Amino acid sequence: MSVSGTSAAGEKRLSGAAPARRPAPAFDAARAREDFPILRQRVHGRPLVYLDNAATTQKPRAVIDAISRYYEEDNANVHRGVHLLSERATRRHDEARKRVARFIGAPDPREVIFVRGTTEAVNLVAQTFGRTRVGAGDEVLVTELEHHSNIVPWQMLCHEKGARLRVVPVTDAGDLDLDALEALLGPRTRLLAVTQVSNALGTVNPLPEIIARAKARGVPVLVDGAQGAPHLGFDAAASGADFYAFSGHKLYGPTGVGVLWGRREHLEAMPPWQGGGDMILSVTFEKTIYNALPHKFEAGTPDIAGAIGLAAAIDYVDGLGLEAIAAHERELLALAVDALEAEEGVRLVGTPRERAGVVSFLVGDVHPHDVGTVLDRHGVAVRAGHHCAQPLMQRLGLAATARASFGLYNTPEDVDALVRGIRAVREMFA
Ligand code: PLP
């Protein structure tokens, strides 16, 4: 569903005239907000308005408690112990994997590999699947919308192998050019790496169509779900994709843990990535026999508490209902887009057909860092910069933007605070 530009939600709330259109009553953001202790604080004497959710989300009490409880009651290393604590820690780690598998519709929990985050997941695929599949003269396809973490690992691979990195362009509105994609999918294309949602513009890519086009040419697809998982979720089995990557910390879970899902046949065929404990069945100086999935890709002591915290975050999100959260966030985005479009001197960057979570903007010719700093003085946390998407910024002819990104606990009052802050920016730099 498109949220950009068509909504009637841009009433002049700040002038106090008409009441704002409120999010569907099914979802009570103000109530959910109380689950997040960090949001109670004031910054620079003002209530914190946290609009930097695309960078990282805040953590609900349920996640903080799950991590504390693990350390207070169950902490031990996994897999190697015969004692009770180790058995409990192992069981909880295994349960976390099953929880993730259910969340993303993975047919088998062994297809869920715990990693540090999206970045590590993409690097894992590049260094294993990529290294065995990509040779001199081959091509890897990425898009202009990608975050650096879905560009640089492929660039490194191409450099090592003498392969070519090819790029699907975006339109001025910030949508992928699907005709160009079609033309770029060629006999040498070994993989398409594409984001579910752009972290810089909020563009929701039409994944079913993109994946179908790639599959028609026999090209495997890796989906970067860092921004998609928290707003849209994902159905791995139904998607047709080959790999899916996301980060726990953008889904109300802890930092340091994320997920790579891959189709079983790929993961079985891929060589291990890092060597060490847990990823082996037996070791001699002559030969090592590798462990089965998922352990083959999880060398060393994993982030046990992180996985448990991620499972708690998924429980929390599912408890509220991802659909209800998504509907609430769409309403908020529509409010924000309409309010910013109506605001003098503000220019939206990107007007994609469908958008999730993010709105990027400029205020006159004020540098986005100055915009971010003034907003911070008003208690409003946004991000300013290139958003780790420098090629996209270059394509749009910009060095940086200011970016407001929404999460389940944001409210229409947060949009008001953003607009008030932007007015203060304008006044200061007039
Ligand atoms: N991909 C996208 C679209 C992102 O927005 C981000 C982080 O902002 C990443 C990848 C990298 O995620 P992480 O730093 O958690 O590995």
Side-chain angles (χ1 to χ4, degrees):
M1 179 192 140
S2 172
V3 296
S4 50
T6 52
S7 159
E11 297 97 330
K12 292 274 175 284
R13 304 196 56 238
L14 290 163
S15 59
R21 193 176 71 177
R22 295 280 161 173
F27 187 78
D28 188 348
R31 162 72 201 79
R33 204 180 169 81
E34 289 168 15
D35 296 334
F36 293 79
I38 203 170
L39 297 177
R40 288 180 207 139
Q41 69 187 282
R42 297 173 82 82
V43 296
H44 305 302
R46 315 239 187 172
L48 169 63
V49 173
Y50 187 76
L51 295 177
D52 196 17
N53 294 284
T56 198
T57 51
Q58 301 302 345
K59 319 306 170 197
R61 169 62 66 201
V63 169
I64 298 166
D65 286 350
I67 294 169
S68 301
R69 214 176 314 118
Y70 165 73
Y71 280 124
E72 284 175 12
E73 296 173 10
D74 300 325
N75 177 55
N77 211 331
V78 290
H79 302 144
R80 293 165 215 167
V82 288
H83 59 83
L84 185 64
L85 288 190
S86 179
E87 281 172 19
R88 283 213 302 258
T90 303
R91 192 171 62 243
R92 300 206 55 199
H93 194 242
D94 289 346
E95 283 165 2
R97 195 186 306 277
K98 288 182 192 148
R99 189 67 191 92
V100 170
R102 279 208 312 283
F103 180 65
I104 57 168
D108 184 338
R110 286 171 295 182
E111 296 175 344
V112 170
I113 313 295
F114 282 123
V115 289
R116 276 194 300 130
T118 308
T119 304
E120 190 169 75
V122 177
N123 277 277
L124 193 164
V125 177
Q127 295 300 318
T128 56
F129 186 84
R131 267 196 174 150
T132 49
R133 294 269 190 131
V134 176
D138 287 339
E139 295 176 357
V140 175
L141 199 49
V142 296
T143 87
E144 270 181 342
L145 281 176
E146 302 311 308
H147 186 280
H148 294 162
S149 62
N150 204 22
I151 299 173
V152 182
W154 305 114
Q155 203 168 42
M156 290 162 69
L157 175 70
C158 288
H159 190 251
E160 178 187 320
K161 295 287 185 177
R164 188 168 169 210
L165 189 71
R166 306 207 70 188
V167 185
V168 182
V170 289
T171 64
D172 291 341
D175 288 307
L176 283 185
D177 179 341
L178 295 188
D179 292 337
L181 165 70
E182 187 72 42
L184 282 162
L185 284 164
R188 302 305 298 261
T189 314
R190 294 289 169 259
L191 183 108
L192 167 64
V194 60
T195 194
Q196 189 177 9
V197 173
S198 157
N199 68 306
L201 306 183
T203 309
V204 176
N205 279 327
L207 280 186
E209 196 177 340
I210 291 171
I211 293 170
R213 287 185 191 217
K215 288 304 169 137
R217 307 290 190 92
V219 173
V221 180
L222 175 140
V223 176
D224 171 348
Q227 299 298 335
H231 301 296
L232 307 173
F234 194 69
D235 188 341
S239 69
D242 294 86
F243 298 101
Y244 186 68
F246 70 95
S247 301
H249 70 98
K250 296 181 196 284
L251 185 66
Y252 310 99
T255 49
V257 69
V259 169
L260 170 69
W261 168 79
R263 288 196 179 275
R264 178 99 183 264
E265 63 269 24
H266 293 322
L267 296 175
E268 295 281 10
M270 282 152 56
W273 185 37
Q274 295 173 332
D278 262 8
M279 54 75 72
I280 55 91
L281 282 180
S282 71
V283 179
T284 67
F285 282 115
E286 289 70 40
K287 182 176 164 65
T288 292
I289 299 175
Y290 303 128
N291 206 341
L293 293 175
H295 310 295
K296 184 170 86 171
F297 294 108
E298 294 181 358
T301 302
D303 184 352
I304 306 161
I308 289 166
L310 173 56
I314 291 172
D315 279 343
Y316 178 79
V317 165
D318 269 354
L320 294 175
L322 196 52
E323 286 288 321
I325 293 171
H328 164 70
E329 289 172 345
R330 276 198 299 268
E331 293 273 353
L332 276 183
L333 258 185
L335 265 179
V337 165
D338 287 354
L340 294 184
E341 270 176 351
E343 206 50 35
E344 194 192 319
V346 173
R347 186 186 132 202
L348 293 192
V349 179
T351 51
R353 276 191 290 270
E354 192 179 346
R355 178 200 283 282
V358 166
V359 57
S360 254
F361 60 95
L362 300 169
V363 181
D365 52 13
V366 183
H367 194 285
H369 283 147
D370 293 331
V371 174
T373 304
V374 175
L375 286 174
D376 177 56
R377 302 306 298 186
H378 285 75
V380 181
V382 299
R383 188 139 296 241
H386 53 61
H387 315 298
C388 293
Q390 281 183 340
L392 176 63
M393 293 292 130
Q394 279 154 22
R395 158 67 181 84
L396 299 173
L398 300 168
T401 72
R403 178 187 76 182
S405 55
F406 296 86
L408 66 89
Y409 35 64
N410 290 122
T411 62
E413 288 72 26
D414 293 348
V415 176
D416 288 349
L418 173 66
V419 173
R420 273 197 303 274
I422 288 173
R423 288 179 183 172
V425 172
R426 265 206 334 264
E427 275 161 28
M428 186 169 285
F429 289 89

